[in-house]
Amino acid sequence: MASANPHMVFSDVHIAFAGKSVHAGVSLQVQRGSVHFIMGQSGVGKSVLIKTLVGLVHPDRGSITFDGTEVVGLSEAAFFPIRRRCQMVFQQATLFGSLSVLDNVAMPIARHEQVSMAVARQRAAEVLESLHARHLGERLPATLGPGLRKQVAIARALALNPEALLYDEPTTGLDPIAARRTDRLIRETSIRLGVTSVVVSHDLQSLLSIGDWVSFLHAGQLHFDGPPAKFFAATDPVVRAFVQAGSSSVGHC
Amino acid sequence: MWSLLYALGQTGLAVAADAGGMAMVLGRTLQRLGPPRGDSRELVRALKRYGEESLPIVALTAAFTGMIMVVQGATYVQQYGVYNLVGRYTGFTTFREVGPMLIGLMFSGRVGAHHTSELATMRMTEELDALRVLAIDVYETLILPRILAMVVGMAALVVFGDLIAIGAGAVCARLMLQVEYAQFFQALLEHLGPMDFLIGVQKGLAYGLVIGVVSTHYGLNAKGGSAGVGRAVNAQVVASAVALFWVDYLMTSVVR
Amino acid sequence: MVPISASVFFLRPLASLGRWGQWGGRQVQAVLRLGGAVLRNLPHAEPAAIWQQARDLGNRSMFFVVVVMAFVGAIMVVQASMQAQRIVGDLSIIGPGFMQLLVREFAPTIVALMIAARYGAGVAAALGAMQVTEQVDALRLCSAEPISYLVVPRVLGGLTSMPAIVVVGGAVAFVSGGLAGHFGFGIGWTSYFRTGFVVPSDVAIGFCKAAAFGVAVPLVSSWAGLSARGGARGVGQATTRAVIGSSVAVLFLDLVFGAAGYVAQRW
């Protein structure tokens, strides 16, 4: 899907850890407003790839642009404006344990918008409301199940009104019901706010129900890049093996 | 022979890497000092917590320090009959050297260790990364306020500890050597100037900074799960001790 | 109004002092109970395990102790020389006087404080990790008494190697102090390197201290590790408790032995 104005562009990205190559020349584009899945087996470096966008991982070679701005080689301070526009939802949700749910969401607002904590809490309550999580406000993260924690993490990521959201394995470790609810939240958020969503996952059910596009990584290379319908009919042997191994569970859900 | 050389080289490299890491922490912290960009609420919170955490242990340590100083000198005092010097040497050694050092060691074991294990845990659970992604500077929100709190807190604890140590020393001198309180404090006030006291406070400030930088470094660079947290804390206590004695050496002999 | 302000300014600190006292008393009791259990299990000690722990404490802390004691020696001689210049102007007693203080007081105490940080924290981290992952209970199920297996070798290892490393640390401090005195204050080698002040009772006090610290540090640290509860956080807390607890134990024993030595010398 080569459009004139993609939101994010990875070109020829190389990443190695301790001499071991993870990505050897990955190139792909993410379209504005789409729900873009990055799939592959565990350990293939899917999370590593999206973490480059927000400067948590620095690639060895290649170019990555966010809305036309090159991010490779930026300093930690120069990443701050990028991060406010492109947020990330961590795999373990990673809420701040000493803060209530409401304060987890209010904290970034208070810090960045120069408003009082009371105003920030008001705004945070609205964000939680939009994700059907207002009632969790006063609870501590440790008292929530993994599904609810993920819901709060999405709210926190939306607190700064980003234009893009990166989801690191949003449904991994969730029970099927919580996983499908998380899928719906991702889709709803994408439609309601028009944010670009990049979803790292190996959950074929998620892809089937909410994905617009899928990029499949294997052994540091891009093996598939296209819409989900074509993905399930792909002829590439690695992709076929992945789809077939997962299709039994898709049938049951 | 070669393996010994190899081990020495390895140790040297590790020490150099840690020293470099600490220098980076120090640089990044100082960079955020002017214009001040720290979180003042976190500073107040940290001061309160560090005080609560370390007051009992510092009081106990200081009391032991004062008494040990008197006990150590007791033999000489008796031998030479210099009962009028007890207050003087107890105050001198406690204020200048032993007080700040022992309080510093306890502070690193309590507050520094806590800071290290907290940062290390946050690193393991990706909370540090989550802060970064929220475009929140970890140095501004957590590290600068806490290092400042350690600097201020150590200086305050040295003052507090000095008072307790002197009090305990006076009681001990009265009981062991029958030195009257008036005589003890007279010797102390007559022979010691404010400088003797302020040098100790100055050391407290320096030790607070050292402990802050060392504990931050080991917390931010912890690796390997929950066992890694323990290792980081252990390394922090050891490195802080070396750094404290090194700074003490510099402050006593080079910058007299 | 008076009762309220009195309660704030007087009673509350007093109450927390009482709580600390109670809490401290319970900790001391627990450590002593562990010490009693160690005594009962002494016959089952394995020489190989003791040797292993002695090496762990001594050899692996050597570099650290040497570095710290080198600084300590230089600091003390510089301070003492500055004082001596101001008061008596005679630097010839610095060497032998420092030697006596090292033997009686500073070598055992400072080395033991360093061992508390280096070895004690490690013991607590290792035993704490075993405790929270239920390995200690697993040992009990294999009918291996955890105390004779885990604590006794550490205590006996400490007892053997602490005096040795104290001697090394003291020697390093003495030599580095000699260097600082010679190059900083022009103290002659022959007037510094004298041991004339040291009497047998000094050596006895120093040795008793070293041996007592050698028992106390592993004992308190093992107690801290074995009482760890609740995951990684618990292990971290146990490590802290080991450092603080064994340091306080060292200072307390130092005070006791110092006072006992003074009393013994008077009779």
Side-chain angles (χ1 to χ4, degrees):
Chain A
M1 184 157 58
S3 101
N5 187 14
H7 208 168
M8 307 156 190
V9 181
F10 297 78
S11 2
D12 196 30
V13 173
H14 288 72
I15 302 172
F17 285 124
K20 194 175 162 291
S21 172
V22 179
H23 294 296
V26 171
S27 302
L28 58 92
Q29 300 190 347
V30 177
Q31 299 305 319
R32 238 166 253 282
S34 67
V35 177
H36 189 128
F37 273 68
I38 294 179
M39 303 200 91
Q41 286 169 283
S42 301
V44 79
K46 308 182 290 283
S47 307
V48 168
L49 192 65
I50 61 164
K51 281 179 179 175
T52 56
L53 267 171
V54 286
L56 295 181
V57 173
H58 297 281
D60 303 314
R61 204 140 61 75
S63 149
I64 299 166
T65 61
F66 177 79
D67 199 20
T69 312
E70 176 67 50
V71 301
V72 174
L74 287 187
S75 69
E76 177 73 14
F79 259 112
F80 278 16
I82 304 273
R83 288 171 184 162
R84 293 185 57 173
R85 296 166 60 194
C86 179
Q87 280 289 313
M88 180 165 159
V89 177
F90 284 82
Q91 185 177 350
Q92 308 290 343
T94 316
L95 302 174
F96 302 115
S98 56
L99 301 180
S100 71
V101 162
L102 190 63
D103 284 357
N104 258 284
V105 184
M107 196 262 283
I109 301 177
R111 198 161 282 279
H112 286 297
E113 322 254 318
Q114 318 293 334
V115 294
S116 71
M117 201 59 194
V119 176
R121 285 204 177 106
Q122 187 65 42
R123 295 253 312 267
E126 287 163 19
V127 177
L128 282 170
E129 180 73 60
S130 74
L131 286 163
H132 325 296
R134 176 69 194 88
H135 60 288
L136 301 175
E138 300 311 318
R139 290 171 66 176
L140 284 175
T143 66
L144 304 178
L148 294 179
R149 265 209 288 270
K150 193 107 352 153
Q151 211 165 330
V152 176
I154 297 175
R156 187 178 68 187
L158 288 175
L160 297 177
N161 293 316
E163 56 198 75
L165 263 183
L166 313 174
Y167 296 90
D168 191 0
E169 311 248 7
T171 58
T172 304
L174 300 189
D175 65 71
I177 293 174
R180 300 293 78 84
R181 200 178 55 223
T182 305
D183 283 346
R184 276 200 302 281
L185 284 177
I186 295 174
R187 191 71 211 174
E188 268 177 37
T189 306
S190 156
I191 293 168
R192 187 164 52 84
L193 302 170
V195 297
T196 307
S197 311
V198 181
V199 183
V200 160
S201 178
H202 43 63
D203 185 342
L204 290 169
Q205 176 74 42
S206 292
L207 174 63
L208 206 55
S209 53
I210 63 168
D212 293 327
W213 197 263
V214 53
S215 306
F216 185 86
L217 294 168
H218 184 77
Q221 302 281 340
L222 190 64
H223 272 245
F224 180 87
D225 195 44
K230 285 192 182 162
F231 181 69
F232 287 99
T235 51
D236 185 302
V238 186
V239 178
R240 280 185 65 82
F242 186 83
V243 169
Q244 274 162 7
S247 58
S248 54
S249 69
V250 173
H252 285 303
C253 288
Chain B
M1 183 62 208
W2 288 116
S3 70
L4 180 70
L5 270 182
Y6 178 78
L8 269 180
Q10 287 280 311
T11 311
L13 281 179
V15 169
D18 280 328
M22 291 171 204
M24 298 238 302
V25 170
L26 182 63
R28 287 180 180 158
T29 307
L30 294 180
Q31 205 186 344
R32 285 160 180 85
L33 262 182
R37 273 185 287 161
D39 184 335
S40 56
R41 269 173 308 179
E42 177 64 23
L43 174 66
V44 173
R45 213 169 24 230
L47 265 175
K48 234 183 196 163
R49 212 183 63 186
Y50 294 166
E52 274 170 21
E53 271 176 6
S54 48
L55 264 185
I57 190 67
V58 164
L60 193 62
T61 308
F64 282 146
T65 308
M67 291 192 277
I68 289 172
M69 288 304 117
V70 172
V71 167
Q72 280 316 310
T75 324
Y76 304 105
V77 170
Q78 253 209 338
Q79 211 168 338
Y80 301 105
V82 281
Y83 292 94
N84 57 333
L85 283 183
V86 180
R88 176 183 181 174
Y89 81 76
T90 305
F92 182 85
T93 47
T94 305
F95 287 170
R96 281 197 173 224
E97 273 303 328
V98 188
M101 178 53 76
L102 282 180
I103 292 170
L105 289 176
M106 292 298 169
F107 194 77
S108 102
R110 194 94 184 83
V111 171
H114 198 147
H115 181 59
T116 300
S117 77
E118 216 166 35
L119 284 182
T121 311
M122 286 183 82
R123 183 187 150 99
M124 307 292 175
T125 57
E126 287 193 306
E127 276 182 55
L128 290 181
D129 282 347
L131 279 174
R132 289 168 68 194
V133 167
L134 290 168
I136 292 170
D137 184 13
V138 181
Y139 276 86
E140 281 175 28
T141 48
L142 290 179
I143 295 174
L144 175 63
R146 291 189 187 174
I147 291 185
L148 278 180
M150 289 191 215
V151 172
V152 176
M154 255 306 286
L157 285 173
V158 165
V159 173
F160 167 77
D162 279 352
L163 295 178
I164 297 219
I166 288 307
V171 171
C172 190
R174 174 77 187 74
L175 294 178
M176 268 182 90
L177 299 164
Q178 286 80 44
V179 174
E180 290 304 328
Y181 295 122
Q183 194 185 8
F184 185 91
F185 285 107
Q186 198 186 354
L188 187 108
L189 293 174
E190 241 171 49
H191 294 281
L192 298 183
M195 264 323 278
D196 293 298
F197 187 72
L198 288 179
I199 279 179
V201 177
Q202 188 187 323
K203 281 186 175 174
L205 293 169
Y207 294 175
L209 181 65
V210 165
I211 294 167
V213 168
V214 172
S215 59
T216 302
H217 166 72
Y218 283 99
L220 289 181
N221 292 289
K223 282 189 189 66
S226 57
V229 178
R231 272 201 304 276
V233 172
N234 198 347
Q236 183 276 133
V237 185
V238 169
S240 284
V242 172
L244 288 188
F245 281 109
W246 177 63
V247 169
D248 190 6
Y249 172 71
L250 287 185
M251 291 181 83
T252 5
S253 66
V254 182
V255 203
R256 257 181 240 166
Chain C
M1 288 315 284
V2 173
I4 293 174
S5 62
S7 82
V8 170
F9 289 110
F10 183 65
L11 290 179
R12 216 193 272 165
L14 206 66
S16 51
L17 201 68
R19 270 201 305 279
W20 292 336
Q22 268 184 351
W23 180 84
R26 275 201 302 275
Q27 315 297 307
V28 171
Q29 232 177 17
V31 172
L32 291 180
R33 254 204 308 276
L34 182 63
V38 167
L39 278 182
R40 279 195 301 281
N41 283 291
L42 270 188
H44 312 301
E46 271 184 58
I50 298 170
W51 186 234
Q52 169 68 35
Q53 290 302 327
R55 283 175 52 107
D56 235 38
L57 186 153
N59 297 25
R60 297 182 54 201
S61 314
M62 193 65 84
F63 177 69
F64 172 51
V65 166
V66 165
V67 170
V68 166
M69 292 310 282
F71 285 129
V72 170
I75 293 166
M76 301 233 157
V77 167
V78 168
Q79 284 283 19
S81 302
M82 275 164 28
Q83 279 303 295
Q85 268 180 341
R86 232 163 59 186
I87 305 170
V88 280
D90 176 19
L91 293 180
S92 67
I93 61 157
I94 294 278
F98 182 44
M99 178 60 140
Q100 190 188 20
L101 266 181
L102 265 179
V103 169
R104 255 179 31 179
E105 168 67 16
F106 287 111
T109 310
I110 296 178
V111 168
L113 287 175
M114 295 305 109
I115 296 291
R118 175 77 182 73
Y119 176 77
V123 166
L127 294 191
M130 290 182 74
Q131 176 68 256
V132 298
T133 55
E134 299 182 322
Q135 289 179 53
V136 175
D137 293 336
L139 267 181
R140 207 166 269 139
L141 287 180
C142 311
S143 70
E145 170 57 47
I147 288 175
S148 73
Y149 190 75
L150 297 174
V151 187
V152 172
R154 290 185 159 84
V155 170
L156 291 181
L159 182 62
T160 21
S161 64
M162 185 71 91
I165 196 161
V166 164
V167 170
V168 173
V172 169
F174 191 60
V175 170
S176 97
L179 293 173
H182 183 76
F183 293 109
F185 296 87
I187 302 175
W189 298 120
T190 46
S191 79
Y192 180 88
F193 285 95
R194 283 186 293 148
T195 56
F197 283 20
V198 179
V199 292
S201 71
D202 292 331
V203 178
I205 291 176
F207 180 81
C208 288
K209 280 183 180 176
F213 300 160
V215 171
V217 170
L219 187 65
V220 174
S221 305
S222 301
W223 158 77
L226 289 178
S227 56
R229 294 286 177 278
R233 190 173 292 271
V235 178
Q237 285 166 350
T239 313
T240 310
R241 208 162 50 225
V243 177
I244 296 291
S246 35
S247 303
V248 170
V250 165
L251 292 178
F252 174 73
L253 289 172
D254 185 31
L255 186 61
V256 169
F257 276 92
Y262 170 77
V263 172
Q265 271 174 345
R266 282 186 70 185
W267 299 120

